[in-house]
Each structure stands twice: as C-alpha cells, then as structure tokens.
Amino acid sequence: MNPDFMHEAIRLSREKSLAGEGGPFGALIVRGGKIIARGWNQVLKKKDPTCHAEMVAIRRACSKLKDYNLSGCEIYVNCEPCPMCLAALYWAGIEKIYFAADRKDAGDLGFVDDFLYKELLLPPGLRKMPMEQAMREEALVVFSQWARFDNKVIY
C-alpha cells in the first residue's frame, strides 16, 4: 500500500465533492507504481448514477490503455466500493483494492452501499425491487448462436 496514492484519492474526494460534482469519493488506478487514471464521483455533475469514482477511473484507464482488461492494476479508493463498483472492478480485472473508509461509514452519511450489499444476498423474489423473468427461450437462441462463433471473446 502506497500512502501517497491513498492521500491522492482522499484529496480528490475532498476537492471534487466540495466543488459540488458529487459525493465525497475519489479513486486512482495504478499500474507499476504509476497512476494510470484518476476518478471522482460525478453523479451530480453528469446527472448519471453510474458516475462513481471507481467507474470514472475504470473508464479513463481503459481509454488510456485502449483495453477493457486492467489486469496488473490496483485501485486506491477513499471508501470501500459499492456493489456496482466492486462488480466493475472484478470485470475489469483489477488485481487489488485498497480502501480507507468502509461501507458502514458511507451508510452513516446516508449512502445505500451497505443496504445494497445485504439486498444482493436475498433471492430475487425477496428484494425491494421487483424482478420478473420473461422470454428466456428467445434469449437462449441468441446465446446459442453466439456460442458457435469462432472469434468470440469471453471476458
């Protein structure tokens, strides 16, 4: 853990949230001891609920490296990632997450991170947001076609 990187993630969270761009969250993606990308919460600025610090940093890192795979990278965030961001970090291939505050600290401010972690453990029928499966067979036809492609990429 490099404290300079964590200090920078915390600095970004302070600076950008005080500027009104979004919640107090900052992130750095690092590879080989060098910062590849910075991100901060821009939910309010962009009017986009997916513009969390980690998501912004992932998008910037992928753009810079011209790859969807961020293996070999670590992320420094001032708060434990929410479930959306954690899933995206797994999808991106991030190798290690360093975080400062945790989801309960974010919950104390009114953010729903801890609620979402608990909600995702429930079977779909017990979640607050109703879910209904429909037209599975039609969707599976497309899956079957894609499975036969010679040049498919599994990620």
Side-chain angles (χ1 to χ4, degrees), residues 6-16 38 78:
M6 188 60 80
H7 283 297
E8 176 62 5
I10 292 169
R11 184 195 71 74
L12 278 172
S13 73
R14 178 185 314 108
E15 177 185 316
K16 301 303 184 175
R38 289 175 171 80
N78 72 302

Side-chain angles (χ1 to χ4, degrees), residues 1 4 11 13 47 50 64 95 104:
M1 202 288 289
D4 291 337
R11 184 195 71 74
S13 73
K47 297 180 181 20
T50 69
K64 181 174 184 176
E95 294 188 4
K104 292 190 188 327

Side-chain angles (χ1 to χ4, degrees), residues 102-115:
D102 63 28
R103 62 180 116 161
K104 292 190 188 327
D105 298 320
D108 290 345
L109 295 174
F111 292 98
V112 298
D113 302 39
D114 197 44
F115 162 78

Side-chain angles (χ1 to χ4, degrees), residues 68 146 150-155:
Y68 67 88
W146 185 86
D150 290 332
N151 60 346
K152 65 182 166 284
V153 176
I154 306 290
Y155 51 90

Side-chain angles (χ1 to χ4, degrees), residues 93-104:
I94 294 288
E95 294 188 4
K96 186 155 188 180
I97 300 168
Y98 296 101
F99 67 93
D102 63 28
R103 62 180 116 161
K104 292 190 188 327

Side-chain angles (χ1 to χ4, degrees), residues 27 52-59 75 77 79-82 85 89:
H52 290 199
E54 299 92 332
M55 302 295 279
V56 172
I58 288 168
R59 290 174 184 134
I75 190 164
V77 291
C79 188
E80 180 180 5
C82 75
C85 294
L89 293 166

